């Protein structure tokens, strides 16, 4: 199937005029340099599929005398004392066009700071500025970047996006109805909220009405279990959408990253919240304790191992699609990271991350997103072995996987432009492989000079003592 477009302009109610000579196929941009901005103008496109022109799109109207600008202005109904903050987009009403869900904040505070915060609002706007609804998260949801992640996504596949976030008693949905006890106030003298129920709520994207509420998992529990007793580490929240089964979107709600880290995956089939799995670094499962303290102030999602299902990159560790630990690097917390095909010369995705006040000498790292194999011997941070193992004279590196279930041999994929005998035929080199594991591992060495200006290596003397 071939797809192209024809662009039309209508001026002051006149007949449409096609602006392009041939269907636009190589780009989706077109500069109309002949329009008269002293008149009302409307533009629309007609798709051209396999050479046949289709029905027109809705027009974009520019009124006469309107200022020429390269942006779309969306008027807001910002409540008094609020400031617009983070936003997300989704098709809330199913009309094929994105709407904007905007967070409005009054007095946000970092978790480490005491003091009463404001009441966070979520507002929905169409691109033409039409106001749809407002959700007031209420006094029992502390205001700030770490407390109020919200997700806008079509979770049930009906063509309309829902809105999901953490709520509490006194949250007021988009149709004015309170969740739980409307009069409850769990704020302590320092302004932190360390008591009272917490909920996960799914809101209708069209109206802001609550479609479902359930207990937020993981529960707050004993505040001290998260690393302090004043509410800093217990109220660190993250959220994302991941296709953990490769077919449908799952909502993943998270809590904690400095110490205990918990991720919970939810599905929303047929208007019912169903928990898919829970990953808890502190639930006693063997090996999970190593995932404590590895999270960041953010996360990333992608199919890092090529199995068709999404994994969650949780800072310095990764959680597999089935809710099990994929690996942990042990490099600990950092603020920022990137997940992408950063290195075009190797297959798959990579993670670039930084680390905040680490107990090791590495402030940043670039790792294979699927493995970040583990190193040995503490601050020495060496692999299991570096040696010419495969016999093409160049060296390979052997690492262990973080779950200790595999060794992985990595070799260069760059074609060699020189030919030598395998390094292990050189006595000095072979013996250096033998003593490699003694004490602090040292690099292997050849018994001849190895460099760009080298002479041909000496022919090795090989004596067989066996039959």
């Amino acid at each position: 199937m071939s797809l192209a477009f024809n662009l039309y302009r209508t001026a002051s109610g006149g007949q449409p005029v096609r602006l392009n000579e041939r269907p636009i196929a190589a780009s989706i941009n077109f500069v109309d340099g002949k329009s008269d901005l002293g008149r009302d103008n409307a533009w629309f496109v007609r798709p051209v599929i396999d050479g046949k022109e289709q029905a027109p799109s809705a027009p974009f109207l520019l009124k006469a005398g309107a200022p020429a600008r390269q942006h779309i202005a969306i008027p807001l109904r910002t409540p008094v004392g609020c400031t617009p903050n983070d936003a997300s987009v989704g098709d809330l009403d199913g009309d094929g066009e994105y709407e904007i869900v905007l967070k409005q904040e009054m007095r946000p505070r970092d978790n480490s700071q005491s003091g009463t915060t404001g009441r966070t609002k979520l507002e929905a706007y169409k691109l033409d500025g039409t106001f749809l609804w407002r959700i007031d998260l209420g006094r029992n949801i502390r205001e700030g970047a770490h407390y109020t992640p919200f997700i806008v996504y079509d979770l049930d596949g009906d063509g309309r996006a829902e809105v999901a976030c953490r709520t509490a008693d006194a949250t007021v949905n988009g149709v004015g109805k309170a969740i739980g006890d409307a009069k409850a106030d769990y704020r302590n003298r320092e302004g932190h909220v360390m008591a009272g129920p917490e909920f996960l709520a799914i809101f209708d994207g069209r109206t802001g009405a609550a479609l479902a509420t359930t207990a937020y998992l993981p529960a707050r529990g004993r505040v001290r279990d998260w690393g302090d007793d004043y509410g800093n580490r217990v109220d660190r929240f993250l959220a994302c959408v991941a296709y953990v089964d490769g077919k449908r979107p799952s909502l993943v709600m998270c809590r904690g990253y400095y110490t205990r880290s918990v991720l919970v995956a939810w599905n929303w089939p047929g208007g019912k919240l169903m928990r898919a799995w829970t990953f808890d670094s502190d639930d006693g499962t063997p090996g999970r304790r190593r995932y404590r303290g590895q999270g960041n102030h953010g996360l990333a999602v992608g199919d890092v191992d090529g199995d068709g299902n999404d994994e969650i990159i949780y800072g310095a560790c990764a959680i597999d699609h089935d809710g099990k630990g994929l690996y942990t690097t042990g490099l600990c917390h950092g603020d920022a990271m990137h997940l992408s095909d950063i290195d075009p010369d190797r297959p798959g995705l990579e993670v670039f991350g930084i680390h905040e006040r680490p107990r090791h000498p590495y402030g940043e790292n670039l790792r294979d997103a699927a493995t970040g194999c583990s190193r040995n011997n503490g601050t020495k941070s060496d692999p299991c072995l570096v040696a010419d193992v495969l016999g093409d004279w160049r060296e390979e590196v052997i690492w262990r996987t973080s779950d200790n279930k595999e060794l992985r041999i990595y070799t260069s994929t760059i074609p060699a432009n020189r030919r030598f005998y395998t390094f292990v035929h050189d006595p000095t080199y072979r013996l250096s492989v033998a003593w490699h594991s003694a004490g602090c591992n040292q690099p292997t060495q050849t018994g001849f000079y190895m460099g760009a200006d080298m002479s041909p290596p000496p022919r090795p003397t090989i004596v067989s003592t066996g039959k």
Side-chain angles (χ1 to χ4, degrees):
M1 182 184 75
S2 64
L3 175 63
F5 300 92
N6 288 329
L7 176 64
Y8 293 84
R9 177 188 358 102
T10 302
S12 297
Q15 293 298 312
V17 176
R18 196 173 90 176
L19 303 179
N20 52 293
E21 294 182 3
R22 297 176 181 176
I24 303 169
S27 173
I28 55 171
N29 299 298
F30 188 91
V31 176
D32 181 5
K34 298 182 179 180
S35 56
D36 181 2
L37 298 183
R39 308 170 66 185
D40 290 350
N41 289 279
W43 291 264
F44 64 88
V45 296
R46 285 180 177 268
V48 180
I49 300 177
D50 292 334
K52 185 176 181 181
E53 193 173 59
Q54 308 295 310
S57 69
F60 173 78
L61 176 64
L62 186 64
K63 300 289 289 185
R69 57 192 180 193
Q70 295 186 5
H71 68 271
I72 298 173
I74 301 175
L76 300 177
R77 296 188 183 181
T78 300
V80 175
C82 286
T83 301
N85 197 272
D86 293 336
S88 188
V89 296
D91 185 359
L92 301 179
D93 54 13
D95 65 353
E97 183 178 75
Y98 275 160
E99 283 73 45
I100 295 176
V101 176
L102 175 68
K103 180 167 68 172
Q104 297 269 15
E105 291 187 333
M106 298 180 70
R107 295 187 307 278
R109 296 183 186 273
D110 187 80
N111 296 52
S112 61
Q113 301 173 1
S114 297
T116 303
T117 68
R119 298 163 64 123
T120 298
K121 279 66 169 189
L122 298 178
E123 297 179 336
Y125 294 89
K126 295 185 71 66
L127 295 183
D128 63 4
T130 301
F131 179 83
L132 298 180
W133 46 258
R134 177 181 293 139
I135 296 170
D136 186 340
L137 295 184
R139 65 180 73 89
N140 296 308
I141 295 293
R142 189 166 164 84
E143 190 172 55
H146 302 298
Y147 313 96
T148 53
F150 61 97
I151 295 294
V152 181
Y153 207 84
D154 182 4
L155 297 171
D156 58 4
D158 66 352
R160 293 183 289 105
E162 292 77 38
V163 179
C165 66
R166 184 177 65 101
T167 64
D169 282 346
T171 293
V172 179
N173 68 21
V175 295
K177 185 176 181 180
I179 293 175
D181 183 355
K183 298 181 180 180
D185 187 346
Y186 300 109
R187 296 172 293 181
N188 62 20
R189 291 183 300 175
E190 288 75 33
H192 289 279
V193 180
M194 294 192 288
E198 301 169 291
F199 308 111
L200 168 62
I202 308 292
F203 297 98
D204 189 311
R206 293 173 298 183
T207 65
L211 298 175
T213 58
T214 190
Y216 187 89
L217 298 178
R220 182 186 297 112
R222 191 172 67 170
V223 171
R224 187 170 296 178
D225 290 344
W226 299 88
D228 60 55
D229 59 3
Y230 67 99
N232 182 3
R233 289 168 172 79
V234 68
D235 274 4
R236 298 281 178 164
F237 298 96
L238 298 172
C240 65
V241 171
Y243 286 75
V244 298
D245 65 359
K247 299 177 182 178
R248 59 185 176 184
S250 295
L251 176 68
V252 183
M253 306 299 289
C254 316
R255 186 176 213 146
Y257 39 76
Y258 287 125
T259 50
R260 182 185 178 193
S261 297
V262 185
L263 296 80
V264 182
W266 298 90
N267 292 327
W268 177 247
K272 293 183 178 180
L273 267 174
M274 299 181 63
R275 182 159 57 102
W277 51 254
T278 297
F279 176 91
D280 187 343
S281 66
D282 289 25
D283 67 359
T285 300
R288 285 195 177 177
R289 193 78 175 177
R290 297 182 294 114
Y291 288 77
R292 282 173 55 92
Q294 304 303 310
N296 279 11
H297 293 310
L299 43 66
V301 176
D303 178 11
V304 302
D305 55 9
D307 64 357
N309 309 306
D310 284 338
E311 285 73 43
I312 296 97
I313 305 300
Y314 207 68
C317 65
I319 310 304
D320 210 348
H321 67 276
D322 56 3
K324 300 178 181 178
L326 183 62
Y327 66 82
T328 177
T329 67
L331 295 176
C332 298
H333 167 76
D335 284 4
M337 67 178 182
H338 301 278
L339 170 67
S340 184
D341 187 5
I342 298 172
D343 183 353
D345 294 329
R346 63 175 303 280
L349 303 176
E350 295 83 35
V351 177
F352 176 81
I354 61 173
H355 305 285
E356 182 180 285
R357 290 182 290 180
R359 298 178 180 176
H360 49 75
Y362 308 108
E364 60 187 40
N365 79 97
L366 178 68
R367 70 179 190 260
D368 183 326
T371 62
C373 288
S374 289
R375 64 211 187 285
N376 298 321
N377 301 318
T379 58
K380 304 300 184 294
S381 298
D382 43 40
C384 299
L385 179 65
V386 178
D388 179 11
V389 177
L390 301 183
D392 74 343
W393 75 259
R394 294 178 302 174
E395 294 183 302
E396 290 74 43
V397 59
I398 303 179
W399 295 96
R400 64 178 174 91
T401 57
S402 298
D403 61 7
N404 300 322
K405 293 182 179 180
E406 274 186 2
L407 289 180
R408 296 189 175 178
I409 303 176
Y410 290 89
T411 186
S412 172
T413 59
I414 302 173
N417 57 10
R418 289 175 179 262
R419 182 178 178 181
F420 302 106
Y421 51 75
T422 174
F423 274 179
V424 294
H425 281 171
D426 174 62
T428 302
Y429 185 90
R430 181 64 185 89
L431 295 177
S432 72
V433 174
W435 53 248
H436 178 84
S437 62
C440 294
N441 298 5
Q442 303 297 314
T444 49
Q445 310 287 344
T446 60
F448 54 87
Y449 171 69
M450 181 70 183
D453 57 344
M454 66 180 290
S455 301
R459 185 179 182 88
T461 300
I462 301 175
V463 178
S464 175
T465 60
K467 292 182 179 180

